[in-house]
Amino acid sequence: MVAAAIYGVLQLALIASPMRSLRLSTVVLTVAVGIYGSGVVAALIELGYAHAMASSATQPLVEAMGRGSYTVVPVVEELAKLTPLLLAGLNIKIRYQLGLTDYVILGAATGAGLGLYEVLLSHLLDAQRADPYPYGGWMLSGGLSLSSTYIPDWHTVLTTWLPASLGSLDLSFTQPSLDTNLHLAWGAIGALGAGLLLRSRGWRRLLGLLPIAYAMAHHTLVNYTGNRDAHPPSWATSLLGTANDLVAYAPLICLAIAMALDFAHLQRSKQAMPAILLNAERTGNAAIGPLTTFSTRCPPWTPLIALRFARMRRSLLYAAGRTAPERLEALHQAVVNTAARIDAANHADAWNTARIRTQLKTIRPNVGDVAGLSWPSRSSS
């Protein structure tokens, strides 16, 4: 379950690597924020709403929660996924150093975390009902449903696009089905809207409301149809079928839009800040060329240096023109200094193994002289 949630987020994060300024460790940590932050807060709000409705309308708690599943729950959960992003956006420095691509990845991470929290909460006591599935994974036996719950194995997870934490088995128990992680997809869609709200200016900010509204609408439709699965309305079934056909591609579409807008912003910022470019970039070569060349000099060290420099420079470029220059002075100087060091070391002689070993031997302290104390030789003893 956990592997499926994290793997779906990593799929998007790897695709977004050319425009992403976040480290993978930060992305994985955000999944935990979705579990212990967004998931817990949403569950408490929903439980409080259900108790309030049950006490005021004198209806059973189960009925109140069922009605709230398609009226209140979608709004609460989608806003809970975006709340960590909006709280981070209160800091001007963080808000503008994240690109739209970063917001989409963070939203997918909080969405995957909230979805995983729901799954774990629903099946917290079902471990004793889990039986090994002959073709890999596990299945939860029991219940009155015509299908059994399927817990995927590593092979199924790694070969599925944005895998859900749970799947299903048909009546013959031979056809496992693993759908798209809906909460991850909704989180990515809503996060594009949050990024537009936080980074755009003027009337363009209003465009950010459209992805958020779509995520809430699809979530509402899923819960509404599921709450009335005995005789779902025809219009709801038709809309849900269309939305479900698109949901697997929606995060990829949002990511493509975010990456295109970020690429345009990076190009404009590079023209305004030529000092942060490498020498080969100033001559007109592609931006990825010099860094790629440098990363091949001495693996694994030079790839790590190049990757860290690329992320740091993207953070600076994303913030350029969005905040006061004095706020970026320290980051700007760090990028300029790193670019100068990469230029100075971007040749084969700088990473000559024999020369590096010779220099290390010259600076290595004398083994016979520790803390300034001279040890007597064997001949003198």
Side-chain angles (χ1 to χ4, degrees), residues 16-374:
S17 294
M19 296 295 149
R20 174 172 50 85
S21 65
L22 294 168
R23 294 178 295 181
L24 286 179
S25 59
T26 304
V27 175
V28 174
L29 182 62
T30 308
V31 177
V33 174
I35 298 173
Y36 299 106
S38 302
V40 173
V41 170
L44 292 176
I45 294 176
E46 293 165 11
L47 184 60
Y49 165 81
H51 277 286
M53 292 299 297
S55 60
S56 62
T58 64
Q59 58 181 340
L61 181 62
V62 175
E63 182 180 345
M65 294 184 68
R67 183 171 299 176
S69 65
Y70 58 89
T71 56
V72 176
V73 169
V75 177
V76 170
E77 292 187 353
E78 296 309 316
L79 290 181
K81 298 171 191 175
L82 302 181
T83 298
L85 280 66
L86 298 176
L87 291 178
L90 295 177
N91 187 311
I92 300 297
K93 183 178 180 180
I94 296 177
R95 177 194 305 181
Y96 293 124
Q97 287 183 11
L98 295 177
L100 290 176
T101 303
D102 297 318
Y103 281 105
V104 172
I105 299 301
L106 291 176
T110 57
L114 188 145
L116 180 60
Y117 176 81
E118 281 192 353
V119 169
L120 294 176
L121 203 61
S122 301
H123 299 278
L124 189 61
L125 303 177
D126 291 343
Q128 66 274 13
R129 296 197 298 112
D131 298 318
Y133 182 61
Y135 303 101
W138 299 265
M139 58 182 181
L140 297 180
S141 59
L144 300 178
S145 176
L146 295 180
S147 62
S148 293
T149 301
Y150 171 65
I151 302 175
D153 61 346
W154 281 102
H155 178 267
T156 306
V157 168
L158 295 178
T159 55
T160 304
W161 169 248
L162 305 182
S165 297
L166 292 177
S168 60
L169 292 168
D170 63 358
L171 190 59
S172 64
F173 299 103
T174 58
Q175 295 295 330
S177 175
L178 191 63
D179 295 327
T180 302
N181 191 328
L182 290 178
H183 279 291
L184 185 154
W186 294 332
I189 296 170
L192 175 62
L196 292 172
L197 287 174
L198 292 173
R199 286 189 55 85
S200 299
R201 294 175 177 176
W203 63 270
R204 294 182 181 86
R205 287 189 171 182
L206 298 178
L207 296 176
L209 298 176
L210 297 179
I212 298 175
Y214 176 84
M216 291 182 179
H218 190 189
H219 194 166
T220 300
L221 191 60
V222 169
N223 289 5
Y224 177 72
T225 306
N227 192 60
R228 299 164 177 259
D229 55 3
H231 301 285
S234 58
W235 63 266
T237 304
S238 177
L239 284 177
L240 182 61
T242 303
N244 287 343
D245 291 339
L246 298 175
V247 71
Y249 307 101
L252 201 57
I253 294 173
C254 292
L255 191 60
I257 294 173
M259 293 177 68
L261 295 175
D262 283 344
F263 179 78
H265 182 79
L266 291 177
Q267 295 305 310
R268 291 193 301 267
S269 298
K270 285 181 179 179
Q271 295 177 2
M273 306 173 70
I276 66 173
L277 300 178
L278 302 177
N279 290 333
E281 293 174 339
R282 297 192 188 97
T283 61
N285 293 335
I288 195 174
L291 275 180
T292 302
T293 303
F294 175 77
S295 65
T296 60
R297 296 296 185 188
C298 185
W301 312 116
T302 48
L304 295 176
I305 296 172
L307 185 61
R308 182 176 180 181
F309 170 73
R311 290 198 305 259
M312 181 171 59
R313 186 168 66 172
R314 285 180 203 138
S315 295
L316 175 63
L317 293 173
Y318 285 143
R322 304 281 180 171
T323 185
E326 55 270 13
R327 292 177 177 268
L328 304 175
E329 184 60 34
L331 181 59
H332 180 271
Q333 193 60 41
V335 174
V336 171
N337 292 340
T338 306
R341 294 179 180 181
I342 291 178
D343 283 329
N346 196 9
H347 56 88
D349 292 340
W351 300 96
N352 184 274
T353 305
R355 187 179 63 83
I356 293 175
R357 289 178 179 175
T358 302
Q359 290 181 346
L360 289 176
K361 289 180 181 180
T362 59
I363 65 176
R364 186 177 300 168
N366 191 344
V367 177
D369 186 11
V370 179
L373 300 177
S374 298

